[in-house]
Amino acid sequence: MTDQSRIRFPQFYITSPQPCPYLEGRYEKKVFTHLLGDEPVSLNNTLTQAGFRRSQNIAYRPACEDCQACVSVRVLAGEFEPGRTFRRIVARNADLRGLVRPASATGEQYDLLRRYLDARHAEGGMADMTEHDYVAMIEDTTIRTNIIEYRLAAGPDETGPLIAAALTDTLDDGLSMVYSFYEPDDAGRSLGTFMVLDHIERTRMADLPYVYLGYWVDGSRKMTYKTRFHPLEALKPEGWRRMAV
């Protein structure tokens, strides 16, 4: 196989079975490929539209033999109309500024991530993430990505403490929320929901159609929030289809 053919037709691999992080008692396998070659941006666009997610320079999706519970979902940003609860969340966070930064890790970001993981995901797969791991998660990339920092407004031209952040890929047809985290002691702000709402608005302003939210898993409580953002499309065997409200 020539180098050129490897670029045009990426090689895919299958992982060994691992305990499912979403459904107790089940095991998962993933198919993955490396986002390398001459056109990693184009490859990431194509794979995201096909239901893959990105982690550093790897694109992956579930490939479980007896389970199809993981469903890729995306919000139709142009048609989204926030209800009363969402409008209240936006108003509650009117004192925040969302600043688009290059994909460069900082100690302040890692400290926030550490508080978030310790409080919300102490038993999760990222619980042991070191600062070196975090730098790799943010900076090891060949595609168009940024980290959006959400900070308290300290004055007309100043910003205050970092209370939330989202690693976000820019695609040809929208934004993909790769990973987000926030101040766990500020539950009244509903920061996770607010960041999704902010990404929907940013996508609308850019005149792009979709916000990719990753996988929704029916029966997983931690994934339930994604179904609150309508209209929502799910990737089915026949293609992207609207989910019923």
Side-chain angles (χ1 to χ4, degrees):
M1 180 178 292
T2 65
D3 290 341
Q4 185 64 31
S5 62
R6 280 197 295 268
I7 292 171
R8 292 181 178 177
F9 305 101
Q11 294 184 355
F12 291 88
Y13 308 89
I14 296 285
T15 65
S16 59
Q18 299 291 330
C20 178
Y22 306 119
L23 300 176
E24 187 176 355
R26 298 191 187 184
Y27 286 81
E28 69 167 0
K29 291 197 297 184
K30 295 176 181 176
V31 59
F32 70 94
T33 189
H34 297 279
L35 294 170
L36 302 174
D38 290 342
E39 298 181 354
V41 173
S42 176
L43 179 59
N44 187 51
N45 272 289
T46 299
L47 292 177
T48 300
Q49 293 163 6
F52 281 70
R53 295 290 286 167
R54 183 180 72 82
S55 176
Q56 295 171 236
N57 283 323
I58 291 176
Y60 67 89
R61 68 171 296 172
C64 306
E65 296 175 358
D66 300 318
C67 179
Q68 289 79 44
C70 292
V71 179
S72 295
V73 293
R74 64 188 186 186
V75 184
L76 280 75
E79 299 180 42
F80 178 79
E81 295 183 3
R84 181 182 303 175
T85 299
F86 285 157
R87 292 196 299 270
R88 286 176 177 172
I89 291 173
V90 171
R92 203 177 301 151
N93 290 282
D95 58 341
L96 297 186
R97 291 181 179 175
L99 306 173
V100 180
R101 305 293 197 193
S104 179
T106 68
E108 186 183 21
Q109 294 167 7
Y110 177 72
D111 289 343
L112 176 61
L113 173 69
R114 194 66 267 158
R115 294 194 299 274
Y116 171 77
L117 292 175
D118 291 345
R120 298 295 181 94
H121 301 285
E123 305 299 325
M126 297 176 62
D128 296 329
M129 176 173 279
T130 66
E131 189 164 5
H132 177 78
D133 296 330
Y134 176 71
V135 171
M137 182 178 81
I138 300 299
E139 299 184 3
D140 190 4
T141 179
T142 56
I143 56 91
R144 295 179 294 182
T145 190
N146 296 93
I147 187 160
I148 303 179
E149 295 185 340
Y150 296 88
R151 295 179 176 273
L152 289 169
D157 300 310
E158 299 180 359
T159 55
L162 177 71
I163 66 168
L167 181 62
T168 303
D169 291 349
T170 299
L171 309 172
D172 289 345
D173 63 353
L175 298 179
S176 175
M177 298 185 70
V178 177
Y179 191 77
S180 59
F181 52 96
Y182 51 86
E183 186 60 65
D185 294 332
D186 213 343
R189 286 182 176 272
S190 301
L191 288 165
T193 298
F194 171 71
M195 282 190 283
V196 176
L197 294 171
D198 182 67
H199 277 70
I200 293 173
E201 182 60 21
R202 289 175 184 274
T203 303
R204 280 171 23 87
M205 295 298 292
D207 199 25
L208 295 171
Y210 307 117
V211 177
Y212 289 85
L213 297 182
Y215 299 117
W216 167 73
V217 181
D218 191 13
S220 174
R221 188 174 62 179
K222 68 176 68 175
M223 294 292 186
T224 303
Y225 77 94
K226 297 182 181 182
T227 60
R228 298 170 59 200
F229 301 94
H230 283 279
L232 192 70
E233 286 187 341
L235 184 58
K236 304 291 187 179
E238 63 272 21
W240 290 95
R241 297 291 185 270
R242 289 195 184 218
M243 292 181 64
V245 178

